[in-house]
Amino acid sequence: MSNTDFVLAVEDLTVSFDGFKAIDALTLYVNRGELRVIIGPNGAGKTTLLDLICGKTRASSGSIKFKNKEMTKMQEHKIVRAGIGRKFQTPSIYENLSVFKNLEVSFPRGRSVFGALSFSCTDEVKARIQSIVEEIGLKDQLHTESGLLSHGQKQWLEIGMLLMQDPELLMLDEPIAGMSVRERELTAELLQRIAKNRSLIVIEHDMEFVKRIADKVTVMHQGKILAEGSMDKVQNDPKVIDVYLGH
Ligand code: ADP
Ligand code: MG
């Protein structure tokens, strides 16, 4: 099959943990430039799906193609290099370093020859950092120690660190958990800006937020897709109301 229009094509994907299928013959296509939101009850397999796509967990069977290239046997760091960035639920920034330094060490070259924390910062890197702090709304905090940022700002910094790698597909697991109302609004705007130039998969529970950002919503349940389509469509789907929205 040739899926040239899809940035991501997941087909018949299954992973078993001791016989329990956390992902069960799941098929999912994401278009280039799409902002896809995945919702579903706890334990549905949402995080596991991202683990499989980024290579943290290995599939039992099935296929994951990114830009038509098979990813299921690829090493995690090669998947990153291929253009897939993934943000975990807990932020992993260097609290004792400035915003600038955190972004600098996230530039792909920084990790190769001299190790993560020591390499000379070129004009190219500086320009990238400047455009990213503007995008994530932290340009006035460029030299602030990251540990002093608000919870929301730390999340944005981590998104910025992923953007330093210039991924074509960015995956975020519950990015607004613990954020204030204002931070949620700003995050919605940020994700919409990011999605102008790349594809995004976002796992989220907050329905107001989902409604605001999603091009298309995928509802997962028991490792399978329960429903997929516009927010309007899935919100009114009796199956979805029954297992998820009704609670
Ligand atoms: P969600 O993110 O939708 O809440 P998860 O993907 O975290 O769901 O979990 C899906 C199911 O798979 C859960 O029942 C969870 O306990 C199980 N699971 C996830 N990872 C593992 C693992 N490494 N070993 C065993 N079971 C796992
Ligand atoms: Mg999860």
Side-chain angles (χ1 to χ4, degrees), residues 29-101:
Y29 300 101
V30 177
N31 282 314
R32 284 173 199 271
E34 186 181 340
L35 200 170
R36 175 72 57 95
V37 179
I38 300 178
I39 63 173
N42 283 330
K46 305 178 298 294
T47 298
T48 303
L49 176 62
L50 299 198
D51 288 346
L52 287 159
I53 296 168
C54 77
K56 185 175 175 245
T57 298
R58 290 293 156 197
S60 305
S61 61
S63 161
I64 300 168
K65 289 202 188 77
F66 174 62
K67 300 194 291 177
N68 283 320
K69 201 166 169 201
E70 186 58 49
M71 294 281 127
T72 45
K73 303 278 184 294
M74 203 182 270
Q75 286 176 295
E76 224 177 328
H77 71 274
K78 288 190 178 156
I79 293 175
V80 171
R81 222 179 295 154
I84 299 180
R86 190 261 175 94
K87 185 187 172 309
F88 291 87
Q89 277 167 275
T90 45
S92 58
I93 58 172
Y94 300 98
E95 299 250 340
N96 58 331
L97 297 182
S98 68
V99 167
F100 182 93
K101 267 286 172 193

Side-chain angles (χ1 to χ4, degrees), residues 160-171:
M161 291 164 73
L162 290 166
L163 293 175
M164 287 298 287
Q165 298 160 358
D166 199 19
E168 271 179 67
L169 172 64
L170 190 59
M171 306 191 294

Side-chain angles (χ1 to χ4, degrees), residues 81 105 107-120:
R81 222 179 295 154
V105 300
F107 188 74
R109 273 189 308 142
R111 255 173 265 117
S112 53
V113 189
F114 303 107
L117 299 177
S118 60
F119 78 106
S120 68

Side-chain angles (χ1 to χ4, degrees), residues 134-148:
E134 280 166 30
E135 188 158 18
I136 62 176
L138 293 179
K139 82 172 152 48
D140 296 334
Q141 283 78 23
L142 193 56
H143 301 292
T144 302
E145 196 176 299
S146 303
L148 300 174

Side-chain angles (χ1 to χ4, degrees), residues 67-228:
K67 300 194 291 177
N68 283 320
K69 201 166 169 201
E70 186 58 49
M71 294 281 127
T72 45
K73 303 278 184 294
M74 203 182 270
Q75 286 176 295
E76 224 177 328
H77 71 274
K78 288 190 178 156
I79 293 175
V80 171
R81 222 179 295 154
I84 299 180
R86 190 261 175 94
K87 185 187 172 309
F88 291 87
Q89 277 167 275
T90 45
S92 58
I93 58 172
Y94 300 98
E95 299 250 340
N96 58 331
L97 297 182
S98 68
V99 167
F100 182 93
K101 267 286 172 193
N102 268 283
L103 293 169
E104 185 187 11
V105 300
S106 303
F107 188 74
R109 273 189 308 142
R111 255 173 265 117
S112 53
V113 189
F114 303 107
L117 299 177
S118 60
F119 78 106
S120 68
C121 189
T122 64
D123 290 345
E124 183 201 354
V125 178
K126 282 182 190 152
R128 179 89 70 89
I129 292 171
Q130 197 54 48
S131 85
I132 285 172
V133 284
E134 280 166 30
E135 188 158 18
I136 62 176
L138 293 179
K139 82 172 152 48
D140 296 334
Q141 283 78 23
L142 193 56
H143 301 292
T144 302
E145 196 176 299
S146 303
L148 300 174
L149 298 174
S150 74
H151 171 75
Q153 289 172 324
K154 287 178 186 175
Q155 302 285 328
W156 300 332
L157 174 57
E158 199 179 3
I159 291 172
M161 291 164 73
L162 290 166
L163 293 175
M164 287 298 287
Q165 298 160 358
D166 199 19
E168 271 179 67
L169 172 64
L170 190 59
M171 306 191 294
L172 309 173
D173 201 346
E174 303 192 18
I176 63 166
M179 282 189 184
S180 68
V181 172
R182 181 67 186 139
E183 286 173 338
R184 284 165 189 240
E185 284 169 9
L186 291 169
T187 304
E189 289 167 16
L190 170 60
L191 298 190
Q192 284 168 322
R193 271 200 304 280
I194 291 172
K196 282 183 186 160
N197 304 311
R198 36 197 121 228
S199 313
L200 240 69
I201 299 177
V202 180
I203 294 175
E204 198 41 73
H205 286 294
D206 182 319
M207 284 305 126
E208 285 308 309
F209 186 79
V210 174
K211 206 178 290 182
R212 191 155 164 199
I213 64 167
D215 290 329
K216 201 174 180 184
V217 179
T218 296
V219 188
M220 283 182 65
H221 179 51
Q222 295 177 342
K224 293 182 165 72
I225 290 179
L226 184 69
E228 194 166 83

